[in-house]
Amino acid sequence: MALLLILLAPLAAAGFALLPLDRRAAPLATLAAALIVLGLALSVAAAATGGRVEAFGGALSCDGLGALVLVLVAFVGSTAALYSWGYIGHRPESAGGTRLYYCLYNLFILSMVAVPIVSNLALVWVAVELTTLISAFLVGFDGTPEALEAAWKYVVLTTLGAVVALLGFLILYWGSQLEGAAPFTWAGLVAAAPHMPPALLWPAFLFILVGFGTKVGLVPMHTWLPDAHSQAPASICALLSGVETTTALYVILRLFPVLGAAPWLDARPWYLGLGLLSVAIAALLLVFVRDFKRLFAYSTVEHMGIILFAAGIGGADAHLGALYQIAAHSIAKSFCFFAAGLAAMAMGTQEIAAVRGLARSAPLPAAALIAGALAIAGAPPFAVFVGEFLILKGGLAAGDYVTIGLFAGFIVLGFCAILFHVNRMVFGGGSERARPAAPLSCRAGLALAAIPLFVIGIYVPPALFALLRAAAGALGS
Amino acid sequence: MRVERKGKMLARILYNLLQAAVVVGFAPLVEGVAARLKEIVQSKRGPSIFQPYRDLRKLLHKDEIVSEYSSWIFRAAPYVAFAAPIFVALLIPVLTRYPLFFAFMGDMLGGGFVLALGGFFTTLAAVDTANPYGPMGASRTRMVGFLAEPVFIVVFLTVSFVAGSTIPYIVQTRWVSPPSNFFEPSHVLLMIAFFMLILAEDGRLPVDSPAGTFELAMIDRSKSLEFSGRGAALMKWAGAMKFFVLVTIFLNVLVTPWGLAQGMGAGEVLLAIPLVLFKMLLFVLVLVVIESSLAKLRLFRITEFLGAAFVISVVAMITRLSAI
Amino acid sequence: MGGAIFALDALAGALFLLAALGVVATRQVLASLQLFIVQSLLLAASALLLGGADRSPHLLAVAAITVLTKALLIPWLLRRMVPSEVYRMREVERVLNIPSALLASAVLIVVAYAVADPLAAAAPAPFIRINLPLGIAAMFLGGLTIAVRREAVPQLLGLLGIENGVFFAAVAITPNLPLIAELAAAADVPVIALVVGMLTRAIHARLGTTAVGELSVLREE
């Protein structure tokens, strides 16, 4: 029942947002729906930690891994909804434009929560595809030529990847039906995998990896990501980088136990190689970046690579680290984009070179920016550091010294690059001109997002830990 | 017994020569029919279908004027160009389904070379004159020629590989062996590619306009501008025969062997003549419809046209060789 | 009877591939749209043939849906949403000239056959030998179209062409996909066309041109 309500709440809010009511009606409805979804997600997660949650005779279901993604989507959805209120309200947007924004926002949340809870894999594919289509106009919301260009590349490249992945899914279906009818769900695939001929499983895996890898932003299919994730409004960037790429990565990670059930295939080198490549290229590009929202976008590419790499290493520690990293990244990245949005609003530009001495001109965005940069780059005591530490530990235990060495090196490179750029922006001489204060709801959203950011690095609540363990179990460690 | 065998051999020689005679005799008729049909499609009356015969007779009676600066190539070219298609006509199945006396003298590759010899001499003769349009047309024809080569080679390769032989008669028996093969993807695609090749090699729209008189735009026709009298008649006839031969290869080897004589009887073979001509009429009809609906391509777009033909033939090759 | 259906399916497949090649190579935007319609109709024809052979109502439904959405609905949507002057355009500048693009297509077709061969051998089913390689080839050609064409509408048609290729392979390998999944995937296609069409209109309104391949303001340092 909770699962169904999770789907219905954003749908209702989307419809409501279109009604021509008071200016505050749409944001309030969106925020309410997001909080309802968050509450329901937490309850589902609590139930899923023990075992699977099912509804409607199996049409909707959620296990540990799915529940983790669900909670993250709900959380970032809520904080971004709060942040949107001030951010969009602050812009000279027409009433119709604002209503459209909130309607699409809710539909976007709906499509993202659908991915972990729908059982039939074909519908999962449709949900992932819908996340792209619905957010297309959110990415191009600014209407500038750059925003439209970014939206175009985003839609075309991600849909291309999704259709390639569709072929992979169809091949999986074909293979799973060879020995007799089997349900086309994740569990069904894991059961059918030992009987599937490797000649089918392997190309299907590659098609899905490359196809959805485009959506995740893995190198070399990442070219659309910096554009889309920097041209969208900051609240949408938080959703895109924080959770949308995570839902696509969730689908790829779900393939891992399917392949594991067919012991003659070894997918690990692919995960390791692609992950390491993404981390490396992203770290290198971070050195040369010129726009601070693009900076955070490249950091997303890096983190997606880190998670994939960790899944490839294998072993309990590395898998736990991967899942921990998923949670840490979602929380930290959304916070970073909130901060970046405030900084852009205060300074009127997104270029790193044009922003100097932010600490003096706009203290709140500056502090948030520094905190976010430290968090996402992987400094202790933030959560990302713990995640990376777990991964390194798992890697050393598995004995892949060379790859771990390269991995650590590139992470350090990325760390230095991020902090170098942010330091230049925040410290140093700048004008003393008073900047307009950020809207209250933006600050509230920022504060709300900051709480888990600071807490989880130091203290992991037992509920969360249990959820992580359950999720790692689903990954097949 | 010996008499029978000698009789059979005599029949084969006779039929072979009959083939050549058919090609020589009916080639202008096909040109005339094509021209008349094109005019009819455009709602005009058009010239009589026997007009090319009258043109040839007129030209043969006229004096020949040869520039004194031209060499023996110019004088020899009409004869070589006339002889080449006749030679090829001896090699290909025009009237019969079984190989005739001269059939094993050369295969498709050899036939292609012989036709190329005719074209080679014609091109050289065009350069031999002092007419500025001659070399221009010659270089353009060469360009179309070398772009068409890969198409021809791929078609030839596929067909021979499948048939296990390069002799046209044998290819013809094995290529469309169960008649349902007609709809096979490789068959259809090869037909399309070879059709485009015929359009290019023979100077039809959209590659070149056969009815045009503007020398600057001519590709194929400008090679025969300088000839007069008997030379012009032979060149015109040679052009018509080359078209006839290419279309015969297309229809009888690639498309379907329908209409060709199965047995050795004289009646059957003579019956094959109107049947083959009827097949040609259908082909000319299709050709005329296509020509009337297209505009002439700009010169450098011809590379795209022939590139498309090449890719189509490669796809046909891949589909057939993957044993579908 | 089986042989005739097999041969007709092969013919549909060959023409399907030719249509995909045409979308890569044509200059005119309107011609690309017409070739896409032809491609979709051939896909429906193949689904019809296979549905008749297996007597599977699923495939007949797929054929009907394909004709409705791809041959009728999507062209209508595109003609309505994208300003008509776009359709009169011809692309003069291309990333790769037509002969090179066609050669690249030939290479991709060979690769598609190489990819499909082990798949078809692993699980032989009647029509897979035709549909799977041609579907994968059409998929690659659609991707090539997106890479090579500069105009917005041909890029969209390339994207939809990839989907056509995937479905062409799917009618052979998964003829019994649950109808709900078929419907969902089929409903997805007009949504793609709608979104991209509206985006094209916005780009045209804002930038005055739909040559999206030439948009390169955002690039790395």
Side-chain angles (χ1 to χ4, degrees):
Chain A
M1 197 57 208
L3 291 175
L4 183 65
L5 280 175
I6 288 182
L7 289 178
L8 286 179
L11 190 62
F16 187 77
L18 282 178
L19 299 174
L21 298 171
D22 181 49
R23 260 195 99 104
R24 287 179 298 176
L28 272 174
T30 309
L31 187 58
L35 287 171
I36 293 176
V37 169
L38 181 60
L40 289 168
L42 286 170
S43 77
V44 166
T49 314
R52 280 172 87 88
V53 176
E54 292 210 358
F56 287 99
L60 300 174
S61 67
C62 196
D63 69 347
L65 185 56
L68 178 66
V69 175
L70 187 63
V71 167
L72 288 172
V73 173
F75 177 73
V76 178
S78 316
T79 49
L82 185 57
Y83 187 87
S84 295
W85 194 354
Y87 191 77
I88 301 293
H90 198 248
R91 294 147 62 106
E93 203 64 52
S94 69
T98 319
R99 283 202 292 271
L100 183 66
Y101 173 89
Y102 283 109
C103 171
L104 287 175
Y105 185 96
N106 281 305
L107 288 175
F108 190 33
I109 300 283
L110 171 65
S111 60
M112 281 197 288
V113 296
V115 174
I117 64 180
V118 171
S119 302
N120 189 319
L121 290 184
L123 294 177
V124 169
W125 181 85
V126 173
V128 175
E129 178 59 16
L130 282 177
T131 62
T132 303
L133 294 176
I134 295 175
S135 51
F137 281 101
L138 288 172
V139 169
F141 194 68
D142 281 346
T144 61
E146 292 86 16
L148 289 175
E149 177 192 339
W152 178 268
K153 277 200 231 175
Y154 172 56
V155 173
V156 171
L157 285 175
T158 12
T159 312
L160 182 129
V163 181
V164 171
L166 179 62
L167 185 64
F169 275 110
L170 289 175
I171 297 178
L172 279 178
Y173 181 75
W174 178 29
S176 70
Q177 303 296 315
L178 279 179
E179 297 279 328
F184 194 38
T185 61
W186 290 118
L189 271 186
V190 174
H195 309 293
M196 274 202 257
L200 283 187
L201 204 50
W202 198 233
F205 163 66
L206 285 177
F207 278 129
I208 297 181
L209 183 63
V210 170
F212 277 153
T214 313
K215 194 144 167 64
V216 170
L218 298 172
V219 173
M221 294 93 59
H222 69 289
T223 46
W224 59 274
L225 200 147
D227 300 340
H229 288 207
S230 61
Q231 294 302 316
S235 45
I236 299 300
C237 288
L239 280 178
L240 290 174
S241 263
V243 283
E244 194 202 15
T245 47
T246 310
T247 49
L249 191 59
Y250 160 78
V251 174
I252 297 182
L253 287 177
R254 274 288 194 188
L255 272 183
F256 202 63
V258 175
L259 290 167
W264 54 84
L265 283 179
D266 196 10
R268 288 187 59 231
W270 284 91
Y271 279 81
L272 277 175
L274 214 51
L276 193 57
L277 184 65
S278 301
V279 175
I281 302 289
L284 288 170
L285 286 170
L286 273 172
V287 177
F288 298 108
V289 73
R290 278 201 215 135
D291 171 323
F292 53 83
K293 274 166 103 178
R294 274 174 98 86
L295 174 92
F296 290 126
Y298 280 122
S299 167
T300 305
V301 173
E302 187 189 9
H303 280 274
M304 292 294 123
I306 292 176
I307 298 171
L308 200 63
F309 181 82
I313 290 185
D317 267 335
H319 280 175
L320 191 64
L323 293 162
Y324 193 74
Q325 191 73 332
I326 290 181
H329 174 252
S330 294
I331 296 171
K333 188 50 63 66
S334 49
F335 181 83
C336 287
F337 271 110
F338 291 152
L342 287 180
M345 220 171 14
M347 301 300 288
T349 170
Q350 280 179 222
E351 299 235 356
I352 293 181
V355 175
R356 283 282 176 275
L358 197 60
R360 246 177 295 190
S361 341
L364 177 62
L369 211 55
I370 277 281
L374 280 171
I376 200 70
F382 291 107
V384 171
F385 175 74
V386 178
E388 285 168 4
F389 186 76
L390 274 173
I391 296 170
L392 283 169
K393 194 171 115 179
L396 288 172
D400 295 322
Y401 295 118
V402 177
T403 41
I404 285 289
L406 283 172
F407 177 72
F410 284 119
I411 289 186
V412 169
L413 178 62
F415 180 94
C416 297
I418 296 178
L419 284 181
F420 173 66
H421 288 302
V422 173
N423 271 342
R424 265 198 316 167
M425 278 174 38
V426 170
F427 301 115
S431 62
E432 290 284 349
R433 233 173 29 194
R435 305 284 170 176
L440 175 65
S441 56
C442 288
R443 285 184 275 169
L446 195 67
L448 209 57
I451 300 174
L453 183 72
F454 285 96
V455 165
I456 292 187
I458 316 174
Y459 165 69
V460 178
L464 180 61
F465 196 72
L467 182 63
L468 286 173
R469 275 248 177 260
L475 206 52
S477 54
Chain B
M1 192 53 176
R2 229 211 231 152
V3 173
E4 211 179 77
R5 224 185 301 154
K6 213 172 173 191
K8 270 207 175 135
M9 201 174 80
L10 198 60
R12 289 186 126 112
I13 299 180
L14 267 177
Y15 294 152
N16 223 340
L17 295 175
L18 181 64
Q19 256 184 229
V22 161
V23 171
V24 172
F26 286 104
L29 180 64
V30 171
E31 285 275 337
V33 169
R36 179 88 188 258
L37 273 176
K38 200 144 87 155
E39 300 292 320
I40 291 180
V41 163
Q42 295 173 20
S43 311
K44 295 186 246 179
R45 274 252 303 250
S48 148
I49 58 176
F50 297 109
Q51 187 59 29
Y53 290 109
R54 296 191 192 124
D55 286 338
L56 286 174
R57 199 175 61 178
K58 170 186 82 177
L59 283 170
L60 281 171
H61 285 300
K62 286 205 170 171
D63 290 333
E64 209 172 336
I65 299 180
V66 172
S67 157
E68 56 185 23
Y69 295 105
S70 62
S71 65
W72 64 272
I73 294 183
F74 187 81
R75 281 163 256 266
Y79 299 99
V80 175
F82 188 78
I86 298 180
F87 191 77
V88 178
L90 293 174
L91 301 172
I92 58 175
V94 180
L95 294 176
T96 58
R97 212 181 268 208
Y98 45 86
L100 291 175
F101 189 72
F102 294 111
F104 295 92
M105 197 161 59
D107 60 359
M108 295 210 288
L109 203 53
F113 278 142
V114 170
L115 278 180
L117 182 71
F120 179 64
F121 264 88
T122 321
T123 312
L124 280 184
V127 179
D128 204 13
T129 69
N131 187 339
Y133 297 115
M136 194 171 75
S139 70
R140 286 177 183 173
T141 318
R142 277 300 109 222
M143 178 182 91
V144 172
F146 83 69
L147 288 170
E149 271 315 301
V151 184
F152 174 67
I153 288 180
V154 172
V155 169
F156 162 72
L157 190 75
T158 315
V159 158
S160 317
F161 186 82
V162 170
S165 155
T166 54
I167 305 288
Y169 287 94
I170 301 184
V171 168
Q172 165 222 42
T173 24
R174 298 208 194 137
W175 180 238
V176 201
S177 34
S180 64
N181 266 3
F182 189 82
F183 285 116
E184 245 195 59
S186 54
H187 192 193
V188 171
L189 291 174
L190 268 186
M191 282 202 305
I192 296 178
F194 202 82
F195 188 85
M196 291 167 88
L197 187 64
I198 293 183
L199 287 180
E201 280 284 323
D202 198 59
R204 301 254 154 208
L205 288 166
V207 176
D208 186 18
S209 164
T213 49
F214 184 42
E215 292 96 342
L216 210 51
M218 281 186 194
I219 296 182
D220 212 38
R221 309 286 144 167
S222 57
K223 289 187 297 184
S224 36
L225 279 179
E226 273 292 296
F227 293 98
S228 51
R230 183 151 33 134
L234 287 177
M235 289 294 283
K236 221 166 125 69
W237 210 335
M241 284 201 294
K242 182 169 155 198
F243 178 64
F244 193 96
V245 161
L246 278 176
V247 174
T248 315
I249 294 180
F250 177 69
L251 287 177
N252 289 351
V253 176
L254 284 183
V255 175
T256 166
W258 177 85
L260 294 178
Q262 291 263 36
M264 295 275 292
E268 265 192 86
V269 174
L270 284 174
L271 184 62
I273 299 181
L275 288 177
V276 170
L277 285 176
F278 179 70
K279 255 198 324 196
M280 278 217 172
L281 176 66
L282 292 175
F283 174 85
V284 165
L285 209 58
V286 171
L287 180 71
V288 159
V289 167
I290 290 182
E291 274 204 272
S292 306
S293 13
L294 291 176
K296 186 160 123 89
L297 282 175
R298 284 168 49 193
L299 190 64
F300 291 109
R301 299 279 168 92
I302 296 179
T303 41
E304 292 164 16
F305 180 78
L306 287 169
F310 175 66
V311 171
I312 292 176
S313 58
V314 166
V315 173
M317 177 174 80
I318 296 171
T319 347
R320 187 57 190 247
L321 294 184
S322 324
I324 288 206
Chain C
M1 185 59 190
I5 290 194
F6 201 75
L8 280 175
D9 186 46
L11 180 65
L15 294 175
F16 179 80
L17 194 62
L18 264 184
L21 277 172
V23 176
V24 175
T26 348
R27 273 211 161 69
Q28 298 167 317
V29 176
L30 188 58
S32 309
L33 184 60
Q34 288 164 338
L35 280 168
F36 171 73
I37 297 178
V38 166
Q39 194 187 27
S40 312
L41 287 173
L42 286 164
L43 169 62
S46 178
L48 208 64
L49 283 169
L50 265 66
D54 290 339
R55 265 166 287 281
S56 148
H58 276 138
L59 286 179
L60 297 177
V62 167
I65 293 175
T66 308
V67 171
L68 269 176
T69 53
K70 291 188 181 156
L72 295 174
L73 180 61
I74 289 184
W76 179 80
L77 267 178
L78 285 179
R79 294 300 291 260
R80 285 288 302 265
M81 282 192 305
V82 179
S84 56
E85 64 183 30
V86 172
Y87 287 108
R88 284 183 242 131
M89 285 206 222
R90 293 162 165 256
E91 283 178 40
V92 181
E93 294 286 324
R94 297 171 61 109
V95 175
L96 205 58
N97 61 2
I98 289 184
S100 315
L102 285 175
L103 280 175
S105 318
V107 171
L108 284 175
I109 294 175
V110 178
V111 171
Y113 268 87
V115 167
D117 210 31
L119 284 173
F127 293 92
I128 290 188
R129 294 219 67 125
I130 301 176
N131 282 39
L132 189 60
L134 290 174
I136 295 184
M139 198 172 86
F140 287 154
L141 287 182
L144 184 67
T145 313
I146 295 182
V148 165
R149 308 286 304 253
R150 284 185 179 234
E151 281 286 324
V153 174
Q155 280 194 3
L156 169 61
L157 292 174
L159 195 58
L160 295 175
I162 301 182
E163 187 123 22
N164 269 356
V166 171
F167 276 108
F168 197 77
V171 297
I173 66 180
T174 58
N176 291 312
L177 199 60
L179 206 55
I180 179 96
E182 293 278 8
L183 280 175
D188 188 45
V189 179
V191 177
I192 295 180
L194 192 72
V195 168
V196 178
M198 289 206 285
L199 199 54
T200 310
R201 183 152 76 168
I203 291 180
H204 185 84
R206 187 72 172 76
L207 298 172
T209 166
T210 51
V212 287
E214 291 171 21
L215 293 176
S216 51
V217 175
L218 299 167
R219 69 170 53 208
E220 216 39 82
E221 293 72 46

